Amino acid sequence: MRFFRDTLSKLSSALLLCATLPVSAAYDQHPRSEEFIAEASKEYKIDPAEIRTWLNHAEKLDSVLEAIARPAEKVKEWDEYQDIFLTKKRISAGKAFIQEHADLLQQAEQKFGVDKHIIAAIIGVETFYGTRQGNYRVLDSLATLAFDYPQRPLFWRELKAFFALARDEKIDPATVKGSYAGAMGYGQFIPTSFLHYAVDADNDGKRDLWGNPADAIFSVANYFKRHGWRSGEAVTQRVRVSGKEYEEIVNDSLKPKWTVAELKALGVEPTVKIADDRSANLIRLQGKVGAEFWLGEHNFYVITRYNHSRMYAMAVYQLSEALR
């Protein structure tokens, strides 16, 4: 009996302790929740009660905060990018992807004027052709970043857009998976990009970028068209440099800001014929055997609209050439 009383006493103490421990409140109880609900309701005409319910089901993920706040590792050089994105395995899988979806890629190229190899390369770089789309619940990752990572207010915007796309596409927000930063589907669209550029390619009434290759392929193509892709134009070419004057303008802009004639005057020599009045910039990357110099033309800049990185754009371009 004494053992029973002692055990009961210990259990009661433990329950009392648990009751006094701080409990992480749901996001519908967050101090800024009403502000968020009012904004999302006004901006996207979503029922406030629906938003509140979704916020109630969102969970704070410390792993997301740790991932985004983690000090950046050494910035990778181009030679390291090549080891990641230009492997035999990725190229082989890309050729299989193109063969499997040949008709869809051809239709997208004809409809949007975007090179089908660039479309495939984007999907190959982003998710290894749809096989690595992310395992985070987008509801959790975006709510965590919107409310508990104020350094990046863009996530507040993206969470509102996520609720809008869930409403529009009749998707349960709790079921959507993606990256820790809320990127989704074959092409890793963030919610605002989904709202602006996602396409219902097969007219089934849904824009399914997670499981429908047609919608995913057409959506990537639409993104590029809307950002100014020029059909038939080159992306980049290797160049030679001489003298010292070019050093003042190398890597000075993602957007082409010089004419080819101006670049030539600074010691840049194209290896492929190009009109002197064409806009471009000079790119320097650290390759396997030293510095590489490239001409960044308009379509190269368009690739950087997908991800604002020269090395990303070069990886997409060179993967597309390998797939070609």
Side-chain angles (χ1 to χ4, degrees):
M1 181 65 71
R2 180 178 178 182
F3 171 78
F4 176 79
R5 286 199 302 269
D6 289 346
T7 302
L8 185 61
S9 177
K10 290 176 181 177
L11 180 60
S12 299
S13 298
L15 290 172
L16 181 61
L17 176 61
C18 288
T20 60
L21 287 174
V23 177
S24 179
Y27 278 111
D28 63 325
Q29 301 299 312
H30 191 279
R32 296 190 66 194
S33 64
E34 291 305 317
E35 176 189 357
F36 177 88
I37 292 167
E39 284 187 21
S41 177
K42 180 179 180 181
E43 190 170 345
Y44 291 110
K45 306 297 185 276
I46 309 173
D47 181 354
E50 224 175 313
I51 303 171
R52 192 170 286 107
T53 298
W54 289 336
L55 290 178
N56 179 261
H57 286 88
E59 297 180 9
K60 180 178 179 179
L61 298 181
D62 289 332
S63 60
V64 166
L65 295 173
E66 290 164 5
I68 201 162
R70 187 179 299 129
E73 298 175 2
K74 178 181 76 71
V75 176
K76 288 181 172 62
E77 296 288 358
W78 168 234
D79 59 339
E80 296 171 286
Y81 263 68
Q82 291 173 295
D83 292 338
I84 298 170
F85 296 111
L86 300 176
T87 63
K88 290 181 180 179
K89 185 177 180 181
R90 198 178 297 261
I91 293 167
S92 177
K95 290 181 177 180
F97 180 83
I98 289 174
Q99 184 175 6
E100 180 181 359
H101 302 295
D103 290 345
L104 289 175
L105 287 162
Q106 188 63 37
Q107 291 167 23
E109 183 173 88
Q110 291 174 349
K111 180 178 178 66
F112 298 98
V114 179
D115 182 350
K116 63 188 177 185
H117 300 95
I118 289 288
I119 299 170
I122 285 285
I123 294 172
V125 166
E126 290 290 346
T127 61
F128 210 93
Y129 312 103
T131 63
R132 303 172 184 173
Q133 296 186 22
N135 295 313
Y136 288 88
R137 276 206 323 172
V138 173
L139 174 63
D140 298 333
S141 57
L142 285 180
T144 298
L145 293 169
F147 288 101
D148 289 312
Y149 193 67
Q151 296 95 318
R152 297 287 297 279
L154 71 89
F155 292 112
W156 181 272
R157 176 196 72 193
E158 294 303 327
L159 182 60
K160 290 187 291 183
F162 176 62
F163 288 157
L165 79 83
R167 186 268 318 273
D168 294 348
E169 303 303 319
K170 298 178 175 58
I171 298 171
D172 179 354
T175 66
V176 179
K177 295 291 185 69
S179 75
Y180 76 84
M184 305 170 292
Y186 276 72
Q188 293 292 276
F189 276 29
I190 56 175
T192 50
S193 291
F194 187 108
L195 292 178
H196 289 127
Y197 309 114
V199 172
D200 175 12
D202 53 6
N203 298 311
D204 65 352
K206 296 182 291 185
R207 296 179 291 177
D208 178 6
L209 304 192
W210 300 269
N212 187 333
D215 290 358
I217 287 168
F218 274 50
S219 296
V220 171
N222 185 45
Y223 187 102
F224 273 79
K225 179 183 179 180
R226 297 276 294 277
H227 282 81
W229 183 268
R230 295 175 184 169
S231 179
E233 276 196 15
V235 174
T236 184
Q237 61 165 285
R238 287 290 291 267
V239 296
R240 291 184 283 267
V241 296
S242 59
K244 294 287 186 180
E245 291 182 281
Y246 74 84
E247 293 179 358
E248 297 181 10
I249 54 92
V250 68
N251 291 346
D252 68 338
S253 171
L254 287 175
K255 189 172 185 178
K257 58 184 290 189
W258 308 94
T259 65
V260 170
E262 289 171 329
L263 292 172
K264 286 180 177 178
L266 294 172
V268 178
E269 181 185 350
T271 55
V272 177
K273 188 175 181 180
I274 182 172
D276 280 347
D277 62 354
R278 184 74 63 84
S279 295
N281 52 27
L282 180 62
I283 298 166
R284 177 172 56 203
L285 301 174
Q286 188 62 33
K288 297 287 187 182
V289 292
E292 299 176 4
F293 293 89
W294 295 80
L295 206 61
E297 301 181 50
H298 172 79
N299 280 345
F300 187 89
Y301 171 68
V302 174
I303 300 175
T304 68
R305 298 307 83 204
Y306 210 94
N307 182 307
H308 299 180
S309 161
R310 295 180 184 87
M311 287 181 286
Y312 175 90
M314 188 60 73
V316 169
Y317 166 72
Q318 291 202 11
L319 180 57
S320 76
E321 290 299 292
L323 298 179
R324 194 188 306 281

